[in-house]
Amino acid sequence: MEAVAALQVGIPLRTTAMPRARATLRDVSRAQTLSRAQTQCSACNLLDKCLSADLDTDTTRLLDDLVTTRVRLRKGETLYRAGGSFTALYAIRSGSLKTLLLAEDGREQVAGYHMPGEILGLDGVGNEEHECQAIALEDSEVCVLPFDRVEQIARESAAFQHNVHRYLSREIARQRTLMLLLGTMRADQRLAAFLLDLSQRYQARGYSSSEFILRMTREEIGSYLGLKLETISRLLSRLQQEGLIQVQGRVVKLLERPALRQLVGQSN
Amino acid sequence: MEAVAALQVGIPLRTTAMPRARATLRDVSRAQTLSRAQTQCSACNLLDKCLSADLDTDTTRLLDDLVTTRVRLRKGETLYRAGGSFTALYAIRSGSLKTLLLAEDGREQVAGYHMPGEILGLDGVGNEEHECQAIALEDSEVCVLPFDRVEQIARESAAFQHNVHRYLSREIARQRTLMLLLGTMRADQRLAAFLLDLSQRYQARGYSSSEFILRMTREEIGSYLGLKLETISRLLSRLQQEGLIQVQGRVVKLLERPALRQLVGQSN
DNA sequence: CGACTAGTTGAGGCCAGTCAATGTTGGTGG
DNA sequence: CCACCAACATTGACTGGCCTCAACTAGTCG
């Protein structure tokens, strides 16, 4: 109960060596059990983005009772936290979340920014507990996919199994890209790459690819890119001054995409 | 054939926008088909490190005809490369390999250093082709695990399936740690963390945890840690001067492990 | 309105990169 | 066995990019 209260306030929970809390669904404000009609994956408009891609109708039917719970999160609330026992994957239906990496010494870093259709919680499969914390950046809704059910269906359907593997693997690939970014790019290149990535992901979801809203603060973006907030701020200003983008608070407009790509591309 | 020749020389293949080559087993010097007795996972001394952990005897038997091929690599040879079609996972039996990340613009970074008992190739599951290149750092031997067989067995055995998932997930966790390192640590902290990681992994394999041989050059270590070779060299000297380690070429001795841990731990 | 959070911008410092010279090691062929 | 070469490594001097510290502004919420 106290946990819930704390979360409602939306405190980022700056965990200096947090006594790894058990976090379950009770942690979030509203978990709701849903009627079957509400949860059928086959009726979900995010179909092609999720685990249910490319399945025959028989298999799709298997999925229909996979999701029995959906969770609503308010901005700032935690979906799961590091050390919390892993029981399910989460598919984002609406809104967006960030994942936060926490080291024992209090060091922390934003590990990812996640949009509708993406699946969260994959990091927990390994040792039954989550390794990072997921926090809503705005009011959001996620589907709960109990992992034992996921594994069960994967055993029954090779196609679904393959989707699961693909998702795990894609997560690996995503992180690879980030490692390259963190390991080899200058600050301005990192920011440009970040903006282009956002643009591309928004486009894939049917939103404008040239104008969008940053859901993260300068500090969060900086943390994600291994930089400080001041650097992010300065660079946004500079890119604007150079005419590559237009910034107004959190609203960003990409003006010269080729130039941005070129900036990212120059390998020194 | 030409491919083999090139590889024999051990050229690092500095691929500036390499025309993504198809790489198969023919690429490596000696792929050998083995008798059943030679390849039984149940007889492998790396048992507990590999996919066959925690299985009942029935399932273990399933694995016995999983590995039909083993590959020998000489130092500098490539096991698979980016863009090569993904057909199998590879379990390292002896030796060590590095994985190399390649961006389209020629940027490249060492993504990992891999030891016996570890599994390579997980990044290929997603889109049927490898996303990085694996190169032997010394003469090595790996078991070939055809991935369709792996998936098949996973459908038959929940325990094995779980191992597969665990492995994929662990890879994600490993990269997470690296991201934290690249995103938040100073150069000396990165190097200390690297040395401690090696130490711990050598220990887990029954080798000395306080004295070991670096199988990578300063340049490769630097690339792995997002630093330059000169920085690595300087830092190794400095850590030696401070009495924390002892370095002699590639032979490293950890003298003050607590101090190293403390160095890594201080979050600023 | 005051308190607070998020963001911008400037001045100065330091850490790691760059460039360059030199030393060391290991493999190869005469 | 030694000479030679190439790859690897060390060290120094200098530079520059990003961080730190700090002051100030803009927007938000009770």
Side-chain angles (χ1 to χ4, degrees):
Chain A
M1 272 303 154
E2 334 75 68
V4 174
L7 289 162
Q8 296 277 14
V9 193
I11 301 167
L13 283 161
R14 214 155 285 262
T15 54
T16 23
M18 178 174 65
R20 310 208 128 197
R22 276 188 91 240
T24 67
L25 288 182
R26 279 173 292 112
D27 247 349
V28 300
S29 52
R30 278 149 297 168
Q32 40 182 198
T33 307
L34 299 164
S35 76
R36 203 135 176 284
Q38 289 180 283
T39 59
Q40 290 185 358
C41 281
S42 51
C44 178
N45 55 355
L46 292 168
L47 194 66
D48 51 359
K49 304 250 158 266
C50 195
L51 282 174
S52 51
D54 299 331
L55 300 182
D56 55 45
T57 47
D58 279 1
T59 316
T60 307
R61 207 164 299 133
L62 279 176
L63 296 190
D64 276 347
D65 53 342
L66 171 60
V67 176
T68 57
T69 323
R70 228 180 266 153
V71 172
R72 283 175 187 283
L73 293 164
R74 299 237 214 131
K75 182 175 173 175
E77 284 182 337
T78 293
L79 176 60
Y80 58 81
R81 61 187 72 211
S85 71
F86 165 78
T87 55
L89 300 179
Y90 304 93
I92 305 176
R93 260 182 78 83
S94 66
S96 57
L97 294 90
K98 66 172 174 179
T99 41
L100 218 52
L101 233 50
L102 306 165
E104 311 81 47
D105 57 354
R107 215 190 301 267
E108 83 178 49
Q109 184 178 11
V110 173
Y113 168 65
H114 307 278
M115 301 181 173
E118 294 183 0
I119 295 200
L120 284 178
L122 295 167
D123 61 307
V125 182
N127 30 11
E128 318 281 293
E129 64 177 50
H130 289 290
E131 313 235 321
C132 63
Q133 185 173 9
I135 298 175
L137 289 167
E138 58 190 310
D139 293 2
S140 306
E141 197 175 12
V142 302
C143 297
V144 180
L145 320 177
F147 193 64
D148 50 359
R149 282 288 296 140
V150 170
E151 287 195 317
Q152 190 186 334
I153 297 175
R155 264 173 273 133
E156 291 167 30
S157 156
F160 181 77
Q161 177 195 40
H162 209 67
N163 280 350
V164 173
H165 289 162
R166 201 152 62 199
Y167 245 94
L168 281 160
S169 177
R170 252 186 229 164
E171 177 68 13
I172 293 176
R174 196 184 67 78
Q175 294 193 358
R176 289 247 141 110
T177 320
L178 245 176
M179 278 176 45
L180 242 172
L181 180 143
L182 291 171
T184 71
M185 288 189 189
R186 282 200 321 269
D188 55 351
Q189 298 178 311
R190 297 185 196 186
L191 184 57
F194 172 70
L195 293 175
L196 289 170
D197 178 54
L198 283 188
S199 160
Q200 184 250 307
R201 284 158 75 193
Y202 278 122
Q203 184 169 40
R205 280 157 188 77
Y207 298 108
S208 166
S209 66
S210 61
E211 186 169 357
F212 47 82
I213 298 176
L214 298 174
R215 297 249 110 98
M216 296 199 280
T217 66
R218 306 287 192 260
E219 184 171 18
E220 288 165 332
I221 296 171
S223 169
Y224 183 53
L225 301 176
L227 302 168
K228 293 288 152 184
L229 71 287
E230 295 97 327
T231 305
I232 301 297
S233 185
R234 268 186 255 274
L235 286 174
L236 284 173
S237 300
R238 205 184 83 196
L239 288 177
Q240 170 158 248
Q241 200 178 330
E242 291 169 348
L244 302 194
I245 65 173
Q246 196 175 305
V247 201
Q248 178 66 256
R250 299 210 180 173
V251 183
V252 176
K253 207 170 187 171
L254 306 191
L255 301 175
E256 294 290 343
R257 193 150 344 182
L260 286 171
R261 266 195 285 270
Q262 199 194 357
L263 177 59
V264 176
Q266 62 199 201
S267 42
N268 230 337
Chain B
M1 273 304 152
E2 334 74 72
V4 174
L7 289 162
Q8 296 277 13
V9 193
I11 301 166
L13 283 161
R14 213 153 284 262
T15 55
T16 22
M18 176 175 66
R20 312 207 126 199
R22 276 187 90 242
T24 66
L25 288 182
R26 278 174 292 111
D27 248 349
V28 300
S29 52
R30 278 149 297 167
Q32 41 182 196
T33 307
L34 300 164
S35 75
R36 204 136 174 285
Q38 290 180 283
T39 60
Q40 290 186 359
C41 282
S42 50
C44 178
N45 54 355
L46 292 168
L47 194 68
D48 51 357
K49 304 250 155 267
C50 195
L51 283 174
S52 51
D54 300 330
L55 301 181
D56 55 47
T57 47
D58 279 1
T59 316
T60 308
R61 207 164 298 133
L62 280 176
L63 295 191
D64 275 347
D65 54 342
L66 171 60
V67 176
T68 57
T69 323
R70 226 180 269 152
V71 172
R72 282 175 187 284
L73 293 164
R74 299 237 214 131
K75 181 176 175 176
E77 285 183 336
T78 293
L79 177 59
Y80 57 81
R81 60 189 71 212
S85 70
F86 165 78
T87 55
L89 301 179
Y90 304 93
I92 306 176
R93 261 182 76 83
S94 65
S96 58
L97 294 90
K98 66 173 174 180
T99 42
L100 217 52
L101 234 50
L102 306 164
E104 312 82 48
D105 58 353
R107 215 187 304 266
E108 83 177 49
Q109 184 177 10
V110 173
Y113 168 64
H114 308 278
M115 302 181 173
E118 295 184 0
I119 295 200
L120 284 178
L122 295 165
D123 62 307
V125 182
N127 31 11
E128 318 282 292
E129 63 177 49
H130 289 290
E131 313 236 320
C132 63
Q133 185 173 10
I135 299 175
L137 290 166
E138 58 189 312
D139 293 3
S140 306
E141 197 176 12
V142 302
C143 296
V144 180
L145 319 177
F147 193 64
D148 50 359
R149 283 287 297 139
V150 170
E151 287 194 316
Q152 189 186 334
I153 297 175
R155 263 173 273 131
E156 292 167 30
S157 156
F160 181 77
Q161 177 194 41
H162 210 67
N163 279 352
V164 173
H165 290 162
R166 201 154 60 200
Y167 244 93
L168 281 160
S169 178
R170 253 186 229 163
E171 177 69 14
I172 294 176
R174 196 183 67 78
Q175 295 193 358
R176 288 248 141 108
T177 319
L178 244 174
M179 277 175 46
L180 242 173
L181 180 142
L182 291 171
T184 72
M185 288 188 188
R186 283 200 321 270
D188 54 352
Q189 298 179 311
R190 297 185 196 186
L191 184 57
F194 172 69
L195 293 174
L196 289 170
D197 177 53
L198 283 188
S199 161
Q200 183 250 307
R201 285 158 73 194
Y202 278 121
Q203 183 168 41
R205 280 159 187 76
Y207 298 108
S208 166
S209 66
S210 60
E211 186 169 359
F212 46 83
I213 298 176
L214 298 173
R215 297 249 111 98
M216 296 200 280
T217 66
R218 306 288 193 259
E219 184 170 19
E220 287 165 333
I221 296 171
S223 169
Y224 183 53
L225 300 175
L227 301 168
K228 294 288 154 184
L229 69 290
E230 294 97 328
T231 305
I232 301 297
S233 186
R234 266 187 256 275
L235 286 175
L236 284 173
S237 301
R238 206 184 83 199
L239 288 177
Q240 170 159 247
Q241 199 178 330
E242 290 169 351
L244 302 195
I245 65 174
Q246 195 177 303
V247 201
Q248 177 65 258
R250 300 212 178 170
V251 182
V252 176
K253 207 170 188 170
L254 305 191
L255 301 176
E256 294 289 343
R257 195 151 341 181
L260 286 171
R261 267 195 284 270
Q262 198 196 358
L263 178 59
V264 176
Q266 63 200 200
S267 42
N268 228 338

PDB file of all heavy atoms in Angstrom, chain A residues 7 12 17 25 29 38 50 53 76 89 104 111 121 147 179 203 212 218 227 238 243 251 256:
ATOM      1  N   LEU A   7       4.227   5.619  -5.476  1.00  0.00           N
ATOM      2  CA  LEU A   7       4.216   5.634  -6.927  1.00  0.00           C
ATOM      3  C   LEU A   7       3.263   6.676  -7.474  1.00  0.00           C
ATOM      4  O   LEU A   7       3.533   7.314  -8.478  1.00  0.00           O
ATOM      5  CB  LEU A   7       3.823   4.245  -7.441  1.00  0.00           C
ATOM      6  CG  LEU A   7       4.900   3.192  -7.224  1.00  0.00           C
ATOM      7  CD1 LEU A   7       4.322   1.820  -7.336  1.00  0.00           C
ATOM      8  CD2 LEU A   7       6.013   3.412  -8.206  1.00  0.00           C
ATOM      9  N   PRO A  12      10.700   9.594  -8.953  1.00  0.00           N
ATOM     10  CA  PRO A  12      11.578   8.773  -9.795  1.00  0.00           C
ATOM     11  C   PRO A  12      12.316   7.700  -9.005  1.00  0.00           C
ATOM     12  O   PRO A  12      12.998   6.888  -9.586  1.00  0.00           O
ATOM     13  CB  PRO A  12      12.580   9.784 -10.349  1.00  0.00           C
ATOM     14  CG  PRO A  12      11.943  11.108 -10.176  1.00  0.00           C
ATOM     15  CD  PRO A  12      11.088  10.990  -8.949  1.00  0.00           C
ATOM     16  N   ALA A  17      21.368   2.202  -3.973  1.00  0.00           N
ATOM     17  CA  ALA A  17      21.421   0.856  -3.426  1.00  0.00           C
ATOM     18  C   ALA A  17      20.107   0.466  -2.765  1.00  0.00           C
ATOM     19  O   ALA A  17      20.032   0.124  -1.599  1.00  0.00           O
ATOM     20  CB  ALA A  17      22.566   0.725  -2.430  1.00  0.00           C
ATOM     21  N   LEU A  25       2.131  -6.798  -9.616  1.00  0.00           N
ATOM     22  CA  LEU A  25       1.101  -5.983 -10.218  1.00  0.00           C
ATOM     23  C   LEU A  25       0.436  -5.057  -9.202  1.00  0.00           C
ATOM     24  O   LEU A  25      -0.097  -4.029  -9.557  1.00  0.00           O
ATOM     25  CB  LEU A  25       0.055  -6.872 -10.881  1.00  0.00           C
ATOM     26  CG  LEU A  25       0.563  -7.541 -12.151  1.00  0.00           C
ATOM     27  CD1 LEU A  25      -0.528  -8.361 -12.782  1.00  0.00           C
ATOM     28  CD2 LEU A  25       1.059  -6.488 -13.127  1.00  0.00           C
ATOM     29  N   SER A  29      -1.142   1.289 -10.163  1.00  0.00           N
ATOM     30  CA  SER A  29      -2.397   1.828  -9.665  1.00  0.00           C
ATOM     31  C   SER A  29      -3.607   0.977 -10.013  1.00  0.00           C
ATOM     32  O   SER A  29      -4.389   0.624  -9.160  1.00  0.00           O
ATOM     33  CB  SER A  29      -2.596   3.241 -10.209  1.00  0.00           C
ATOM     34  OG  SER A  29      -2.441   3.242 -11.606  1.00  0.00           O
ATOM     35  N   GLN A  38     -12.387  -7.995 -24.884  1.00  0.00           N
ATOM     36  CA  GLN A  38     -11.530  -6.811 -24.785  1.00  0.00           C
ATOM     37  C   GLN A  38     -10.069  -7.111 -25.047  1.00  0.00           C
ATOM     38  O   GLN A  38      -9.285  -6.219 -25.319  1.00  0.00           O
ATOM     39  CB  GLN A  38     -11.632  -6.225 -23.368  1.00  0.00           C
ATOM     40  CG  GLN A  38     -12.958  -5.563 -23.067  1.00  0.00           C
ATOM     41  CD  GLN A  38     -12.947  -5.033 -21.643  1.00  0.00           C
ATOM     42  OE1 GLN A  38     -13.097  -5.790 -20.696  1.00  0.00           O
ATOM     43  NE2 GLN A  38     -12.746  -3.733 -21.507  1.00  0.00           N
ATOM     44  N   CYS A  50       3.560  -6.817 -32.689  1.00  0.00           N
ATOM     45  CA  CYS A  50       3.652  -7.536 -31.433  1.00  0.00           C
ATOM     46  C   CYS A  50       4.027  -8.991 -31.680  1.00  0.00           C
ATOM     47  O   CYS A  50       4.469  -9.374 -32.751  1.00  0.00           O
ATOM     48  CB  CYS A  50       2.311  -7.407 -30.735  1.00  0.00           C
ATOM     49  SG  CYS A  50       2.312  -7.856 -29.016  1.00  0.00           S
ATOM     50  N   ALA A  53       2.606 -11.555 -34.783  1.00  0.00           N
ATOM     51  CA  ALA A  53       2.819 -11.380 -36.218  1.00  0.00           C
ATOM     52  C   ALA A  53       2.935 -12.719 -36.946  1.00  0.00           C
ATOM     53  O   ALA A  53       3.439 -13.689 -36.395  1.00  0.00           O
ATOM     54  CB  ALA A  53       4.080 -10.557 -36.448  1.00  0.00           C
ATOM     55  N   GLY A  76       4.843   8.629 -14.535  1.00  0.00           N
ATOM     56  CA  GLY A  76       5.734   8.523 -13.387  1.00  0.00           C
ATOM     57  C   GLY A  76       5.606   7.229 -12.618  1.00  0.00           C
ATOM     58  O   GLY A  76       6.453   6.911 -11.794  1.00  0.00           O
ATOM     59  N   LEU A  89       5.661 -10.753 -19.477  1.00  0.00           N
ATOM     60  CA  LEU A  89       6.109  -9.717 -20.393  1.00  0.00           C
ATOM     61  C   LEU A  89       5.000  -8.682 -20.496  1.00  0.00           C
ATOM     62  O   LEU A  89       3.848  -8.955 -20.173  1.00  0.00           O
ATOM     63  CB  LEU A  89       6.383 -10.315 -21.776  1.00  0.00           C
ATOM     64  CG  LEU A  89       7.441 -11.405 -21.840  1.00  0.00           C
ATOM     65  CD1 LEU A  89       7.589 -11.919 -23.267  1.00  0.00           C
ATOM     66  CD2 LEU A  89       8.776 -10.883 -21.326  1.00  0.00           C
ATOM     67  N   GLU A 104      24.542  -1.254  -8.404  1.00  0.00           N
ATOM     68  CA  GLU A 104      24.461  -1.366  -6.946  1.00  0.00           C
ATOM     69  C   GLU A 104      24.918  -0.075  -6.275  1.00  0.00           C
ATOM     70  O   GLU A 104      24.452   0.279  -5.196  1.00  0.00           O
ATOM     71  CB  GLU A 104      25.340  -2.507  -6.430  1.00  0.00           C
ATOM     72  CG  GLU A 104      25.179  -3.816  -7.150  1.00  0.00           C
ATOM     73  CD  GLU A 104      25.980  -3.825  -8.437  1.00  0.00           C
ATOM     74  OE1 GLU A 104      27.152  -3.428  -8.392  1.00  0.00           O
ATOM     75  OE2 GLU A 104      25.415  -4.194  -9.484  1.00  0.00           O
ATOM     76  N   ALA A 111      17.957   3.219 -20.097  1.00  0.00           N
ATOM     77  CA  ALA A 111      18.384   2.157 -21.013  1.00  0.00           C
ATOM     78  C   ALA A 111      17.542   2.110 -22.265  1.00  0.00           C
ATOM     79  O   ALA A 111      17.941   1.548 -23.269  1.00  0.00           O
ATOM     80  CB  ALA A 111      18.334   0.810 -20.308  1.00  0.00           C
ATOM     81  N   GLY A 121      10.250  -6.162 -20.559  1.00  0.00           N
ATOM     82  CA  GLY A 121      10.421  -7.163 -19.525  1.00  0.00           C
ATOM     83  C   GLY A 121      11.269  -8.345 -19.931  1.00  0.00           C
ATOM     84  O   GLY A 121      11.508  -9.246 -19.143  1.00  0.00           O
ATOM     85  N   PHE A 147       4.376 -15.124 -18.465  1.00  0.00           N
ATOM     86  CA  PHE A 147       5.438 -15.745 -19.253  1.00  0.00           C
ATOM     87  C   PHE A 147       5.330 -17.259 -19.334  1.00  0.00           C
ATOM     88  O   PHE A 147       5.706 -17.855 -20.336  1.00  0.00           O
ATOM     89  CB  PHE A 147       6.813 -15.342 -18.729  1.00  0.00           C
ATOM     90  CG  PHE A 147       7.917 -15.695 -19.672  1.00  0.00           C
ATOM     91  CD1 PHE A 147       7.986 -15.099 -20.925  1.00  0.00           C
ATOM     92  CD2 PHE A 147       8.877 -16.646 -19.346  1.00  0.00           C
ATOM     93  CE1 PHE A 147       8.986 -15.428 -21.819  1.00  0.00           C
ATOM     94  CE2 PHE A 147       9.881 -16.984 -20.239  1.00  0.00           C
ATOM     95  CZ  PHE A 147       9.933 -16.371 -21.469  1.00  0.00           C
ATOM     96  N   MET A 179      25.284   0.396 -28.077  1.00  0.00           N
ATOM     97  CA  MET A 179      26.666   0.264 -27.650  1.00  0.00           C
ATOM     98  C   MET A 179      27.605   0.938 -28.634  1.00  0.00           C
ATOM     99  O   MET A 179      28.551   1.616 -28.240  1.00  0.00           O
ATOM    100  CB  MET A 179      27.028  -1.203 -27.521  1.00  0.00           C
ATOM    101  CG  MET A 179      26.591  -1.814 -26.220  1.00  0.00           C
ATOM    102  SD  MET A 179      26.943  -3.574 -26.187  1.00  0.00           S
ATOM    103  CE  MET A 179      28.611  -3.588 -26.837  1.00  0.00           C
ATOM    104  N   GLN A 203       7.298   7.067 -37.412  1.00  0.00           N
ATOM    105  CA  GLN A 203       6.776   6.814 -38.746  1.00  0.00           C
ATOM    106  C   GLN A 203       6.192   5.406 -38.862  1.00  0.00           C
ATOM    107  O   GLN A 203       5.091   5.220 -39.376  1.00  0.00           O
ATOM    108  CB  GLN A 203       7.895   6.981 -39.787  1.00  0.00           C
ATOM    109  CG  GLN A 203       7.405   6.829 -41.213  1.00  0.00           C
ATOM    110  CD  GLN A 203       8.458   7.265 -42.211  1.00  0.00           C
ATOM    111  OE1 GLN A 203       9.640   7.003 -42.050  1.00  0.00           O
ATOM    112  NE2 GLN A 203       8.017   7.950 -43.244  1.00  0.00           N
ATOM    113  N   PHE A 212       7.680  15.692 -33.904  1.00  0.00           N
ATOM    114  CA  PHE A 212       7.179  14.862 -32.800  1.00  0.00           C
ATOM    115  C   PHE A 212       7.539  15.494 -31.464  1.00  0.00           C
ATOM    116  O   PHE A 212       8.278  16.479 -31.392  1.00  0.00           O
ATOM    117  CB  PHE A 212       7.726  13.448 -32.899  1.00  0.00           C
ATOM    118  CG  PHE A 212       9.202  13.391 -33.162  1.00  0.00           C
ATOM    119  CD1 PHE A 212      10.107  13.530 -32.135  1.00  0.00           C
ATOM    120  CD2 PHE A 212       9.684  13.221 -34.462  1.00  0.00           C
ATOM    121  CE1 PHE A 212      11.464  13.483 -32.367  1.00  0.00           C
ATOM    122  CE2 PHE A 212      11.052  13.170 -34.707  1.00  0.00           C
ATOM    123  CZ  PHE A 212      11.934  13.303 -33.671  1.00  0.00           C
ATOM    124  N   ARG A 218      15.554  16.647 -20.928  1.00  0.00           N
ATOM    125  CA  ARG A 218      16.938  16.743 -21.413  1.00  0.00           C
ATOM    126  C   ARG A 218      17.846  15.838 -20.591  1.00  0.00           C
ATOM    127  O   ARG A 218      18.776  15.222 -21.105  1.00  0.00           O
ATOM    128  CB  ARG A 218      17.442  18.190 -21.309  1.00  0.00           C
ATOM    129  CG  ARG A 218      16.556  19.213 -21.984  1.00  0.00           C
ATOM    130  CD  ARG A 218      16.664  19.131 -23.477  1.00  0.00           C
ATOM    131  NE  ARG A 218      16.056  20.279 -24.134  1.00  0.00           N
ATOM    132  CZ  ARG A 218      14.858  20.276 -24.682  1.00  0.00           C
ATOM    133  NH1 ARG A 218      14.120  19.165 -24.670  1.00  0.00           N
ATOM    134  NH2 ARG A 218      14.393  21.349 -25.281  1.00  0.00           N
ATOM    135  N   LEU A 227      25.421  11.368 -21.890  1.00  0.00           N
ATOM    136  CA  LEU A 227      25.826  12.772 -21.883  1.00  0.00           C
ATOM    137  C   LEU A 227      25.126  13.511 -20.748  1.00  0.00           C
ATOM    138  O   LEU A 227      24.276  12.958 -20.071  1.00  0.00           O
ATOM    139  CB  LEU A 227      25.456  13.425 -23.220  1.00  0.00           C
ATOM    140  CG  LEU A 227      26.048  12.794 -24.473  1.00  0.00           C
ATOM    141  CD1 LEU A 227      25.377  13.336 -25.722  1.00  0.00           C
ATOM    142  CD2 LEU A 227      27.548  13.031 -24.526  1.00  0.00           C
ATOM    143  N   ARG A 238      22.360  24.216 -31.020  1.00  0.00           N
ATOM    144  CA  ARG A 238      23.301  24.328 -32.132  1.00  0.00           C
ATOM    145  C   ARG A 238      22.714  23.759 -33.418  1.00  0.00           C
ATOM    146  O   ARG A 238      22.819  24.369 -34.485  1.00  0.00           O
ATOM    147  CB  ARG A 238      24.598  23.594 -31.785  1.00  0.00           C
ATOM    148  CG  ARG A 238      25.799  24.123 -32.547  1.00  0.00           C
ATOM    149  CD  ARG A 238      27.045  23.325 -32.255  1.00  0.00           C
ATOM    150  NE  ARG A 238      27.134  22.122 -33.059  1.00  0.00           N
ATOM    151  CZ  ARG A 238      27.952  21.106 -32.779  1.00  0.00           C
ATOM    152  NH1 ARG A 238      28.715  21.140 -31.699  1.00  0.00           N
ATOM    153  NH2 ARG A 238      27.994  20.050 -33.571  1.00  0.00           N
ATOM    154  N   GLY A 243      20.233  25.045 -38.659  1.00  0.00           N
ATOM    155  CA  GLY A 243      19.107  24.830 -39.566  1.00  0.00           C
ATOM    156  C   GLY A 243      18.731  23.379 -39.795  1.00  0.00           C
ATOM    157  O   GLY A 243      17.920  23.067 -40.666  1.00  0.00           O
ATOM    158  N   VAL A 251       8.908  20.003 -28.414  1.00  0.00           N
ATOM    159  CA  VAL A 251       8.483  19.753 -29.785  1.00  0.00           C
ATOM    160  C   VAL A 251       9.677  19.882 -30.724  1.00  0.00           C
ATOM    161  O   VAL A 251      10.353  20.907 -30.746  1.00  0.00           O
ATOM    162  CB  VAL A 251       7.389  20.746 -30.218  1.00  0.00           C
ATOM    163  CG1 VAL A 251       6.918  20.413 -31.625  1.00  0.00           C
ATOM    164  CG2 VAL A 251       6.230  20.723 -29.242  1.00  0.00           C
ATOM    165  N   GLU A 256      16.337  19.004 -41.890  1.00  0.00           N
ATOM    166  CA  GLU A 256      17.304  18.513 -42.883  1.00  0.00           C
ATOM    167  C   GLU A 256      17.735  17.095 -42.553  1.00  0.00           C
ATOM    168  O   GLU A 256      18.828  16.844 -42.074  1.00  0.00           O
ATOM    169  CB  GLU A 256      18.525  19.437 -42.914  1.00  0.00           C
ATOM    170  CG  GLU A 256      18.242  20.828 -43.416  1.00  0.00           C
ATOM    171  CD  GLU A 256      17.925  20.842 -44.912  1.00  0.00           C
ATOM    172  OE1 GLU A 256      18.236  19.854 -45.595  1.00  0.00           O
ATOM    173  OE2 GLU A 256      17.347  21.856 -45.378  1.00  0.00           O
TER     174      GLU A 256
END
